[in-house]
Amino acid sequence: METQSNKSILKIKNPSTEKFLDIWKQYQPFLIEDVAEHWDACHKWSNDYLIEHCGNKVVYIWFFQKNFLYDYKKFAYDNDSYYIKEMQYKEYVKDIEERANGNNNDDIGCYSNEIDFEDRFPELVGDVTYPKYLDRKPWVNLWHGFSNKNFTSASTLHFDRVHNIYAQIRGRKRFLLFPPSNYLSFYPPLNESSGIGHNSKVNPDLLQLELFPKFPWQQRIEVILQPGEILYIPPFWWHHVTAIDENISLSFWYDLKIQDFFKQKNMLQVVLNIAPPYLRHVISGGSLKDTIDLFKGLIS
């Protein structure tokens, strides 16, 4: 039933809820097979199908310079190094098809991330069987990205304060995962009010030992998420995500409940480690919204 995908991450086939929760208590990421691969989404969601059903829907697209991830002053702070534009989904799909084929060589990349799945694409909900491992309703986001020689759709190294059940529908993504040890060893940008407290200054693809000597470089877990696979990412685990191909993913985000801090091993200690410097950052001029987002859901 269970095999090791490598020395660090567990892989399991079609777990029951009881089996999922038994593993979930260990507060470790793990892979699930033989679940999402049976969803209609994994068989139907070609670009033509998506355009036919949702092409006229308006979505938010993020635009970045191609060297965005090589300078933490751009990605770790809330600044003007990217912009967001509304466009029809079919226009975005056509754009990334051209980029993926190398027909667009400009210095700007784009990424359709965190599309509110139920709000923007209700026509597609029936193609997905929502996971029922946790006793709460998820917030579902759709991600559609690509990779070419000039730009790769990516998420910076960061943590989320939610349970993340991440399903790969099409194409592949690479995840670099880091366990949440000492918060400050991840170099969150707390020295300025524009710093994003759940982001790291570190790009784990750039080995910058002199700049970030305390970063836990050796603790990285690398996962290539294949179509039809699901990755569970626990709250506050750091992760860095990059596209390998043109790809589509769904993230199912589940808010925390107070009992989760006692059911999942060591999560309470992790939050107690994060809270003091994070709160000092807010008091000294950081974002109150970020703090509300961090602790929201703890009394649900």
Side-chain angles (χ1 to χ4, degrees):
M1 185 78 172
E2 299 174 8
T3 61
Q4 291 286 33
S5 61
N6 54 43
K7 293 182 179 179
S8 301
I9 192 163
L10 182 71
K11 183 180 291 187
I12 186 169
K13 289 183 179 291
N14 194 12
S16 64
T17 298
E18 181 181 11
K19 186 65 175 178
F20 176 94
L21 292 175
D22 186 54
I23 300 171
W24 171 87
K25 291 176 183 178
Q26 299 304 310
Y27 194 49
Q28 298 286 323
F30 57 93
L31 282 167
I32 299 173
E33 295 182 311
D34 198 31
V35 175
E37 63 191 75
H38 301 295
W39 298 349
D40 287 344
C42 285
H43 306 285
K44 292 182 177 180
W45 284 10
S46 66
N47 285 343
D48 287 342
Y49 179 89
L50 295 173
I51 289 173
E52 178 185 351
H53 288 80
C54 306
N56 292 324
K57 297 297 181 70
V58 175
V59 294
Y60 294 100
I61 309 299
W62 296 61
F63 288 85
F64 309 86
Q65 296 177 351
K66 69 177 183 180
N67 62 351
F68 179 74
L69 290 175
Y70 290 87
D71 183 355
Y72 69 81
K73 294 179 181 178
K74 294 180 179 178
F75 66 74
Y77 295 87
D78 188 9
N79 54 38
D80 59 359
S81 58
Y82 60 88
Y83 64 92
I84 302 173
K85 177 182 176 181
E86 284 188 334
M87 59 193 303
Q88 286 186 315
Y89 185 57
K90 61 184 178 184
E91 295 175 357
Y92 171 72
V93 172
K94 181 180 178 180
D95 187 13
I96 64 171
E97 285 180 340
E98 292 179 354
R99 291 172 186 268
N101 292 328
N103 297 328
N104 188 325
N105 295 316
D106 63 28
D107 290 335
I108 301 296
C110 58
Y111 190 16
S112 181
N113 60 356
E114 292 189 37
I115 297 175
D116 185 334
F117 181 56
E118 295 181 355
D119 177 64
R120 298 285 170 156
F121 295 161
E123 299 87 350
L124 301 179
V125 172
D127 292 339
V128 177
T129 303
Y130 284 21
K132 296 183 179 179
Y133 303 120
L134 299 175
D135 59 347
R136 62 210 78 167
K137 179 177 171 56
W139 181 279
V140 188
N141 288 311
L142 183 143
W143 312 71
H144 192 167
F146 72 100
S147 180
N148 67 14
K149 64 180 180 180
N150 291 320
F151 181 81
T152 296
S153 302
S155 298
T156 60
L157 183 62
H158 68 286
F159 67 75
D160 303 315
R161 55 99 203 150
V162 293
H163 302 284
N164 190 350
I165 294 179
Y166 198 99
Q168 194 64 17
I169 304 300
R170 234 179 64 194
R172 297 169 296 164
K173 277 186 172 176
R174 185 189 66 152
F175 284 76
L176 298 180
L177 302 160
F178 294 85
S181 52
N182 178 20
Y183 173 56
L184 294 180
S185 69
F186 286 88
Y187 296 89
L190 305 182
N191 55 319
E192 296 181 23
S193 61
S194 61
I196 303 170
H198 57 271
N199 275 11
S200 169
K201 293 181 182 179
V202 180
N203 178 343
D205 279 327
L206 302 177
L207 188 61
Q208 298 174 306
L209 294 174
E210 293 185 1
L211 191 58
F212 306 116
K214 296 181 181 180
F215 184 79
W217 300 97
Q218 301 303 317
Q219 296 183 23
R220 64 186 264 169
I221 302 168
E222 182 169 352
V223 176
I224 304 299
L225 197 63
Q226 304 286 344
E229 290 185 334
I230 291 174
L231 174 64
Y232 170 68
I233 307 173
F236 309 107
W237 266 71
W238 295 84
H239 50 286
H240 177 269
V241 190
T242 52
I244 298 176
D245 318 294
E246 186 191 343
N247 71 88
I248 295 177
S249 317
L250 289 173
S251 58
F252 299 82
W253 288 348
Y254 298 81
D255 276 335
L256 293 172
K257 292 189 175 183
I258 289 178
Q259 56 264 36
D260 296 346
F261 290 90
F262 304 98
K263 290 181 178 180
Q264 285 197 294
K265 184 178 179 180
N266 296 328
M267 187 167 67
L268 180 59
Q269 290 89 327
V270 166
V271 174
L272 293 176
N273 177 259
I274 293 172
Y278 203 106
L279 290 174
R280 284 196 295 271
H281 171 58
V282 173
I283 292 171
S284 64
S287 169
L288 179 59
K289 178 182 181 300
D290 282 348
T291 304
I292 293 172
D293 287 344
L294 177 65
F295 295 104
K296 185 178 67 174
L298 302 190
I299 58 173
S300 63

